[in-house]
Amino acid sequence: MKQTAKITFCGIITALSVVFMLLSYFPYLTYAVPAVTGLLMMIIVIEINTRWAFAAYAAASVLVFIFAEPESKLMYICLFGYYPILKALIERLHKPAAEWLLKLLVFNAAVLLVYFVIAKLFGISLDDFNTFGRYGVYAFLAAGNAVFVLYDIAVSRMAMFYMNTLHMRIARIFKGK
């Protein structure tokens, strides 16, 4: 793929990411939109490479930071935007136990970062979670880890779906055939 085609392709994916993130203003889409939008970076990983995907993620993150809904933008910037790219790098280890450990560490670090940023911005304290009992925070974190494992599996399946259905079409477009 030529340099101009790579730039154009990344620009299109970046623009789509920002447009998708605007959907986060709709109620109940706060977490779903960043998770789905992050999948767009997977396309760049497949079609070009991880370096270009990180560049597109950085550009999208700047625009998302300006335009998207606050909680969704944090979820995109701190986890879902870069996770499909990082997943591709982590899975090059070919050691499932180490891969899952790294993935779960990244997820938990991102969740804690988002929590602390939200707590500072909106003045929420850990005591506010006591409504759910003494172990409410841990229950939420455990449930989040379970959902994250499902998300990781879904990202893998979406990559396979993309490879089987759209990859050849995209490749033909950039080869001019």
Side-chain angles (χ1 to χ4, degrees):
M1 189 181 295
K2 293 180 184 177
Q3 194 78 356
T4 54
K6 290 178 184 178
I7 293 169
T8 302
F9 189 72
C10 289
I12 290 169
I13 296 294
T14 299
L16 279 173
S17 296
V18 174
V19 169
F20 282 7
M21 284 301 294
L22 292 176
L23 295 173
S24 66
Y25 282 105
F26 288 103
Y28 306 109
L29 295 179
T30 302
Y31 301 108
V33 169
V36 172
T37 303
L39 294 175
L40 293 172
M41 294 301 147
M42 174 191 67
I43 297 170
I44 299 173
V45 171
I46 293 170
E47 297 298 338
I48 306 173
N49 63 34
T50 55
R51 198 178 62 167
W52 281 85
F54 274 121
Y57 158 73
S61 292
V62 169
L63 294 170
V64 163
F65 184 77
I66 295 168
F67 296 113
E69 186 266 335
E71 198 170 355
S72 290
K73 78 172 84 174
L74 280 173
M75 293 305 294
Y76 180 81
I77 293 169
C78 293
L79 179 66
F80 292 119
Y82 68 83
Y83 181 73
I85 307 165
L86 190 62
K87 175 180 169 53
L89 294 173
I90 290 172
E91 290 181 349
R92 290 180 186 172
L93 294 174
H94 300 292
K95 295 179 181 173
E99 292 171 8
W100 279 109
L101 179 66
L102 281 172
K103 291 174 186 179
L104 289 170
L105 284 172
V106 166
F107 170 74
N108 286 293
V111 166
L112 291 174
L113 176 66
V114 168
Y115 168 75
F116 284 117
V117 169
I118 288 174
K120 292 297 179 190
L121 286 177
F122 300 115
I124 299 171
S125 72
L126 195 56
D127 296 333
D128 293 337
F129 283 99
N130 284 341
T131 309
F132 298 104
R134 184 176 175 187
Y135 300 104
V137 173
Y138 302 112
F140 278 126
L141 198 55
N145 277 280
V147 171
F148 176 73
V149 168
L150 294 174
Y151 176 73
D152 182 83
I153 293 167
V155 170
S156 296
R157 293 201 175 160
M158 289 304 295
M160 291 306 299
F161 174 78
Y162 177 84
M163 288 298 294
N164 292 331
T165 59
L166 298 173
H167 174 65
M168 292 307 295
R169 293 178 186 170
I170 300 292
R172 265 191 252 127
I173 289 170
F174 284 107
K175 287 182 182 176
K177 294 181 182 178

